[in-house]
Amino acid sequence: MKNNIAVLPGDGIGKEVINEAVKVLKAIGSVFDRKFTFQYGLIGVDAIEKTGDPFPVETEHLCKKAHAVLFGAIGDPKFDDNPNVKVRPDEGLFRMRANLGLYANLRPVKSYPPLYDRSPLKNNRIKNVDFIVIRELTGGIYFGQPRGRSEDGFEAFDTCKYSAGEIERIGRVAFGIAQKRNGRVTVVDKANVLATSRLWRQVIKQMAGDYPDVNLEFMYVDHAAMNIITNPAQFDVIVTENMFGDILTDEASVISGSLGLIPSASIGEESKLFEPIHGSYPEWAGKNRANPIASILSAAMMLEMALNAPGEAELVREAVLASMEKGLITGDIDPNSTCTTSQVGDFIAEYILAKSIDDVSPMTII
Ligand code: IPM
Ligand code: MG
């Protein structure tokens, strides 16, 4: 059985939301008699303070040995715009993504009926939205070289670069997922401006013949940004480069109701990592206010995609929906709410634990 989990809570609210995800996994473990092992690793600010490195080699080994990695968040504003800073916590995040080969980042976007009325978008637009954004995670402008400043410091530059191979492997992930969903892929790019986007179109078109059952379309990113708000139900699978995927998924989270609701899975050659898409949100760190649902749903994705436990994943999702129906809504969705991070986690864990009692019918006792 695959039960060996590396846990990297990271910075800011990462620590408290990951606590809740672990609590929920422990509940799953006890109901389904699975013995998870949780091994904690340092990443981000704590790692810099203790080792000088935001992604220490011990953490990398821990991740590589584990069946799955559960990760919280990275980032602290005290490292921003500070000329004395030699190493930034975010570098740890990028090194982790690169060194673990996590090139495909899957970000499912759904609307939840109990939250329809809380969305800033009209009900009729968000009803039945269920799509997934596949964000390329180890290429593009996040990693391209050269980058930096001119010698006099008055110019700065970044490089957006993609190889045909990088595009093809993320394209195959998108087509494969579309085949299991509703058979539609939308490639989001800026092919009227960017050379990289034109290579994306060429490579994806060449591959399309291998997937005759998938309906393929291309959409410029500016147009996609508008459509995600005006008609999000049209999408099934969106595949896009690194930075467009970053921006569009924050935007798309408005459909669900909050950034605090969107989980993600990052997959690659060997490792599988699961993380909420929100960042470390230092303003709320340690306040027991953050929404743990994105982390808990990331744990559900982990059960399904890395630990071969789709039934368990489904129970976690059912419990999350029950928490929303019960009105356990944190302050990211309702600014007047007093509902805490741990209340949401406790409810979801208890909902799962109650299942074991329900399931023990008189027949099984005999
Ligand atoms: C994300 C985050 C990160 C990113 C930040 C924290 C560097 O926004 O995972 O979406 O841009 O990739
Ligand atoms: Mg982001």
Side-chain angles (χ1 to χ4, degrees):
M1 250 193 206
K2 294 184 170 178
N3 287 333
N4 195 348
I5 302 166
V7 185
L8 315 181
D11 302 329
I13 60 169
K15 292 187 172 57
E16 50 212 275
V17 293
I18 288 302
N19 259 345
E20 302 310 313
V22 169
K23 190 188 280 177
V24 168
L25 285 168
K26 285 184 175 159
I28 286 288
S30 97
V31 172
F32 291 87
D33 201 21
R34 258 181 183 262
K35 308 228 169 340
F36 293 115
T37 58
F38 299 99
Q39 282 185 292
Y40 283 74
L42 288 174
I43 193 164
V45 178
D46 289 349
I48 295 177
E49 281 165 2
K50 293 197 180 110
T51 73
D53 182 348
F55 186 54
V57 64
E58 295 77 28
T59 304
E60 184 169 336
H61 286 155
L62 187 73
C63 294
K64 287 187 169 159
K65 274 192 342 232
H67 294 123
V69 183
L70 184 63
F71 166 62
I74 269 191
D76 189 312
K78 75 179 179 219
F79 290 82
D80 290 340
D81 303 323
N82 180 346
N84 299 321
V85 162
K86 297 219 168 47
V87 55
R88 291 173 44 88
D90 320 71
E91 284 169 39
L93 178 64
F94 302 136
R95 197 133 46 77
M96 175 169 73
R97 289 174 177 169
N99 293 6
L100 300 182
L102 304 170
Y103 63 84
N105 181 223
L106 280 42
R107 300 185 161 192
V109 177
K110 276 178 76 143
S111 58
Y112 296 96
L115 305 183
Y116 279 176
D117 287 333
R118 298 178 184 268
S119 170
L121 302 178
K122 291 202 176 83
N123 264 350
N124 61 347
R125 293 201 202 281
I126 60 174
K127 230 177 236 167
N128 304 322
V129 171
D130 183 352
F131 63 89
I132 185 162
V133 178
I134 301 178
R135 169 187 177 194
E136 200 291 327
L137 201 61
T138 52
I141 204 163
Y142 276 62
F143 290 91
Q145 296 290 347
R147 57 205 287 124
R149 292 267 180 114
S150 60
E151 260 170 44
D152 65 8
F154 289 111
E155 272 181 341
F157 45 90
D158 298 283
T159 303
C160 185
K161 207 181 263 183
Y162 271 108
S163 68
E166 286 174 311
I167 300 165
E168 183 178 339
R169 69 180 179 182
I170 191 83
R172 299 232 177 258
V173 173
F175 280 114
I177 290 179
Q179 283 177 321
K180 293 193 204 118
R181 291 178 49 104
N182 296 319
R184 301 193 49 212
V185 168
T186 308
V187 179
V188 170
D189 63 26
K190 191 74 185 170
N192 47 350
V193 179
L194 302 176
T196 42
S197 290
R198 289 194 277 273
L199 183 62
W200 270 70
R201 285 203 180 196
Q202 182 189 323
V203 172
I204 302 267
K205 276 183 191 158
Q206 277 163 0
M207 295 165 57
D210 297 344
Y211 304 91
D213 48 338
V214 174
N215 197 317
L216 175 66
E217 64 170 353
F218 295 89
M219 196 181 279
Y220 293 146
V221 63
D222 45 356
H223 193 57
M226 185 182 74
N227 271 271
I228 282 174
I229 298 299
T230 54
N231 183 13
Q234 72 183 287
F235 295 113
D236 180 24
V237 176
I238 290 177
V239 60
T240 189
E241 64 94 50
N242 205 340
M243 185 171 257
F244 294 160
D246 177 47
I247 297 169
L248 293 180
T249 47
D250 266 33
E251 184 199 11
S253 75
V254 176
I255 297 165
S256 297
S258 159
L259 201 52
L261 295 169
I262 312 280
S264 85
S266 299
I267 57 173
E269 286 117 33
E270 284 168 38
S271 300
K272 293 191 166 105
L273 178 141
F274 301 83
E275 62 170 305
I277 80 159
H278 60 69
S280 57
Y281 200 34
E283 296 87 333
W284 277 18
K287 295 198 169 137
N288 200 14
R289 290 180 72 188
N291 191 340
I293 288 183
S295 289
I296 293 170
L297 289 175
S298 299
M301 290 184 90
M302 179 170 92
L303 287 165
E304 186 170 18
M305 299 177 63
L307 306 182
N308 200 16
E312 286 91 323
E314 213 31 60
L315 179 57
V316 173
R317 294 189 183 113
E318 182 188 313
V320 164
L321 196 63
S323 77
M324 293 172 178
E325 276 159 2
K326 185 97 184 149
L328 285 166
I329 308 286
T330 40
D332 53 318
I333 300 174
D334 175 1
N336 298 319
S337 163
T338 55
C339 176
T340 65
T341 310
S342 46
Q343 270 173 342
V344 177
D346 285 345
F347 176 89
I348 292 170
E350 277 155 25
Y351 182 98
I352 290 166
L353 288 169
K355 282 285 166 182
S356 64
I357 300 160
D358 285 351
D359 293 346
V360 182
S361 66
M363 284 299 287
T364 37
I365 291 168
I366 294 165

